[in-house]
PDB file of all heavy atoms in Angstrom:
ATOM      1  N   GLN G   3      99.865  52.831  28.573  1.00 81.00           N
ATOM      2  CA  GLN G   3      99.709  52.740  30.025  1.00 81.00           C
ATOM      3  C   GLN G   3     100.997  52.276  30.681  1.00 81.00           C
ATOM      4  O   GLN G   3     101.360  52.757  31.762  1.00 81.00           O
ATOM      5  CB  GLN G   3      98.570  51.784  30.388  1.00 81.00           C
ATOM      6  CG  GLN G   3      97.208  52.326  30.031  1.00 81.00           C
ATOM      7  CD  GLN G   3      96.122  51.299  30.291  1.00 81.00           C
ATOM      8  OE1 GLN G   3      96.347  50.102  30.230  1.00 81.00           O
ATOM      9  NE2 GLN G   3      94.920  51.790  30.586  1.00 81.00           N
ATOM     10  N   GLU G  32     110.523  47.160  39.395  1.00 88.00           N
ATOM     11  CA  GLU G  32     109.248  47.363  38.700  1.00 88.00           C
ATOM     12  C   GLU G  32     109.453  48.206  37.444  1.00 88.00           C
ATOM     13  O   GLU G  32     108.900  47.909  36.381  1.00 88.00           O
ATOM     14  CB  GLU G  32     108.247  48.040  39.634  1.00 88.00           C
ATOM     15  CG  GLU G  32     106.871  48.170  39.061  1.00 88.00           C
ATOM     16  CD  GLU G  32     105.880  48.792  40.040  1.00 88.00           C
ATOM     17  OE1 GLU G  32     106.273  49.171  41.165  1.00 88.00           O
ATOM     18  OE2 GLU G  32     104.707  48.906  39.666  1.00 88.00           O
ATOM     19  N   LEU G  41     109.136  47.756  25.646  1.00 82.00           N
ATOM     20  CA  LEU G  41     110.012  47.516  24.502  1.00 82.00           C
ATOM     21  C   LEU G  41     109.548  46.284  23.719  1.00 82.00           C
ATOM     22  O   LEU G  41     109.492  46.305  22.481  1.00 82.00           O
ATOM     23  CB  LEU G  41     111.452  47.329  24.968  1.00 82.00           C
ATOM     24  CG  LEU G  41     112.508  47.129  23.900  1.00 82.00           C
ATOM     25  CD1 LEU G  41     112.544  48.317  22.950  1.00 82.00           C
ATOM     26  CD2 LEU G  41     113.867  46.926  24.547  1.00 82.00           C
ATOM     27  N   GLU G  43     106.490  45.098  23.644  1.00 80.00           N
ATOM     28  CA  GLU G  43     105.234  45.451  22.972  1.00 80.00           C
ATOM     29  C   GLU G  43     105.506  46.258  21.711  1.00 80.00           C
ATOM     30  O   GLU G  43     104.826  46.075  20.693  1.00 80.00           O
ATOM     31  CB  GLU G  43     104.332  46.242  23.921  1.00 80.00           C
ATOM     32  CG  GLU G  43     103.691  45.390  24.995  1.00 80.00           C
ATOM     33  CD  GLU G  43     102.773  46.197  25.889  1.00 80.00           C
ATOM     34  OE1 GLU G  43     101.838  46.831  25.350  1.00 80.00           O
ATOM     35  OE2 GLU G  43     102.983  46.192  27.110  1.00 80.00           O
ATOM     36  N   THR G  46     106.625  43.944  19.040  1.00 75.00           N
ATOM     37  CA  THR G  46     105.475  43.196  18.535  1.00 75.00           C
ATOM     38  C   THR G  46     104.652  44.052  17.581  1.00 75.00           C
ATOM     39  O   THR G  46     104.227  43.587  16.521  1.00 75.00           O
ATOM     40  CB  THR G  46     104.600  42.699  19.709  1.00 75.00           C
ATOM     41  OG1 THR G  46     105.401  41.884  20.568  1.00 75.00           O
ATOM     42  CG2 THR G  46     103.422  41.890  19.219  1.00 75.00           C
ATOM     43  N   LEU G  56     107.294  38.192  10.101  1.00 67.00           N
ATOM     44  CA  LEU G  56     107.033  36.903  10.744  1.00 67.00           C
ATOM     45  C   LEU G  56     107.774  35.778  10.036  1.00 67.00           C
ATOM     46  O   LEU G  56     108.136  34.778  10.633  1.00 67.00           O
ATOM     47  CB  LEU G  56     105.534  36.601  10.761  1.00 67.00           C
ATOM     48  CG  LEU G  56     104.697  37.420  11.725  1.00 67.00           C
ATOM     49  CD1 LEU G  56     103.220  37.150  11.498  1.00 67.00           C
ATOM     50  CD2 LEU G  56     105.081  37.115  13.154  1.00 67.00           C
ATOM     51  N   ILE G  57     107.991  35.957   8.763  1.00 70.00           N
ATOM     52  CA  ILE G  57     108.703  34.943   7.988  1.00 70.00           C
ATOM     53  C   ILE G  57     110.195  35.005   8.295  1.00 70.00           C
ATOM     54  O   ILE G  57     110.860  33.981   8.390  1.00 70.00           O
ATOM     55  CB  ILE G  57     108.449  35.151   6.482  1.00 70.00           C
ATOM     56  CG1 ILE G  57     106.973  34.907   6.194  1.00 70.00           C
ATOM     57  CG2 ILE G  57     109.326  34.237   5.640  1.00 70.00           C
ATOM     58  CD1 ILE G  57     106.552  35.312   4.808  1.00 70.00           C
ATOM     59  N   ASP G  58     110.712  36.212   8.481  1.00 73.00           N
ATOM     60  CA  ASP G  58     112.148  36.404   8.646  1.00 73.00           C
ATOM     61  C   ASP G  58     112.630  36.197  10.076  1.00 73.00           C
ATOM     62  O   ASP G  58     113.780  35.841  10.298  1.00 73.00           O
ATOM     63  CB  ASP G  58     112.542  37.814   8.192  1.00 73.00           C
ATOM     64  CG  ASP G  58     112.178  38.071   6.732  1.00 73.00           C
ATOM     65  OD1 ASP G  58     112.189  37.097   5.957  1.00 73.00           O
ATOM     66  OD2 ASP G  58     111.873  39.214   6.392  1.00 73.00           O
ATOM     67  N   LEU G  65     108.568  34.259  20.192  1.00 81.00           N
ATOM     68  CA  LEU G  65     108.026  33.790  21.474  1.00 81.00           C
ATOM     69  C   LEU G  65     108.602  34.587  22.639  1.00 81.00           C
ATOM     70  O   LEU G  65     107.890  34.926  23.586  1.00 81.00           O
ATOM     71  CB  LEU G  65     108.303  32.296  21.656  1.00 81.00           C
ATOM     72  CG  LEU G  65     107.527  31.364  20.734  1.00 81.00           C
ATOM     73  CD1 LEU G  65     108.015  29.928  20.891  1.00 81.00           C
ATOM     74  CD2 LEU G  65     106.041  31.459  21.016  1.00 81.00           C
ATOM     75  N   GLN G  67     109.663  37.693  22.560  1.00 79.00           N
ATOM     76  CA  GLN G  67     109.030  39.018  22.539  1.00 79.00           C
ATOM     77  C   GLN G  67     107.638  38.964  23.149  1.00 79.00           C
ATOM     78  O   GLN G  67     107.257  39.844  23.922  1.00 79.00           O
ATOM     79  CB  GLN G  67     108.947  39.549  21.109  1.00 79.00           C
ATOM     80  CG  GLN G  67     110.264  39.976  20.540  1.00 79.00           C
ATOM     81  CD  GLN G  67     110.140  40.424  19.090  1.00 79.00           C
ATOM     82  OE1 GLN G  67     109.073  40.408  18.503  1.00 79.00           O
ATOM     83  NE2 GLN G  67     111.266  40.812  18.512  1.00 79.00           N
ATOM     84  N   SER G  71     106.490  40.911  26.540  1.00 76.00           N
ATOM     85  CA  SER G  71     105.339  41.799  26.471  1.00 76.00           C
ATOM     86  C   SER G  71     104.309  41.423  27.538  1.00 76.00           C
ATOM     87  O   SER G  71     103.764  42.282  28.238  1.00 76.00           O
ATOM     88  CB  SER G  71     104.719  41.711  25.073  1.00 76.00           C
ATOM     89  OG  SER G  71     103.581  42.506  24.980  1.00 76.00           O
ATOM     90  N   LEU G  78     103.749  39.381  35.882  1.00 79.00           N
ATOM     91  CA  LEU G  78     103.848  38.021  36.402  1.00 79.00           C
ATOM     92  C   LEU G  78     105.125  37.394  35.857  1.00 79.00           C
ATOM     93  O   LEU G  78     105.492  37.634  34.703  1.00 79.00           O
ATOM     94  CB  LEU G  78     102.653  37.176  35.965  1.00 79.00           C
ATOM     95  CG  LEU G  78     101.293  37.582  36.502  1.00 79.00           C
ATOM     96  CD1 LEU G  78     100.198  36.768  35.829  1.00 79.00           C
ATOM     97  CD2 LEU G  78     101.240  37.389  38.008  1.00 79.00           C
ATOM     98  N   GLU G  85     114.235  24.862  23.028  1.00 83.00           N
ATOM     99  CA  GLU G  85     115.375  24.029  22.662  1.00 83.00           C
ATOM    100  C   GLU G  85     115.403  23.864  21.157  1.00 83.00           C
ATOM    101  O   GLU G  85     114.375  23.608  20.535  1.00 83.00           O
ATOM    102  CB  GLU G  85     115.269  22.659  23.340  1.00 83.00           C
ATOM    103  CG  GLU G  85     115.394  22.723  24.841  1.00 83.00           C
ATOM    104  CD  GLU G  85     115.328  21.349  25.483  1.00 83.00           C
ATOM    105  OE1 GLU G  85     115.448  20.339  24.749  1.00 83.00           O
ATOM    106  OE2 GLU G  85     115.146  21.299  26.706  1.00 83.00           O
ATOM    107  N   VAL G  89     111.939  25.951  11.874  1.00 66.00           N
ATOM    108  CA  VAL G  89     111.531  26.788  10.758  1.00 66.00           C
ATOM    109  C   VAL G  89     110.147  26.307  10.340  1.00 66.00           C
ATOM    110  O   VAL G  89     109.959  25.140   9.999  1.00 66.00           O
ATOM    111  CB  VAL G  89     112.520  26.687   9.580  1.00 66.00           C
ATOM    112  CG1 VAL G  89     112.032  27.500   8.408  1.00 66.00           C
ATOM    113  CG2 VAL G  89     113.896  27.122  10.022  1.00 66.00           C
ATOM    114  N   MET G  93     103.492  27.691   4.348  1.00 63.00           N
ATOM    115  CA  MET G  93     102.040  27.781   4.472  1.00 63.00           C
ATOM    116  C   MET G  93     101.638  28.194   5.888  1.00 63.00           C
ATOM    117  O   MET G  93     100.732  29.005   6.072  1.00 63.00           O
ATOM    118  CB  MET G  93     101.394  26.440   4.107  1.00 63.00           C
ATOM    119  CG  MET G  93      99.905  26.548   4.013  1.00 63.00           C
ATOM    120  SD  MET G  93      99.444  27.884   2.885  1.00 63.00           S
ATOM    121  CE  MET G  93      98.246  27.095   1.922  1.00 63.00           C
TER     122      MET G  93
END
Side-chain angles (χ1 to χ4, degrees):
Q3 290 175 331
E32 186 177 3
L41 183 59
E43 286 182 57
T46 302
L56 288 172
I57 295 170
D58 301 329
L65 290 173
Q67 288 177 359
S71 178
L78 295 172
E85 294 182 14
V89 177
M93 189 53 133

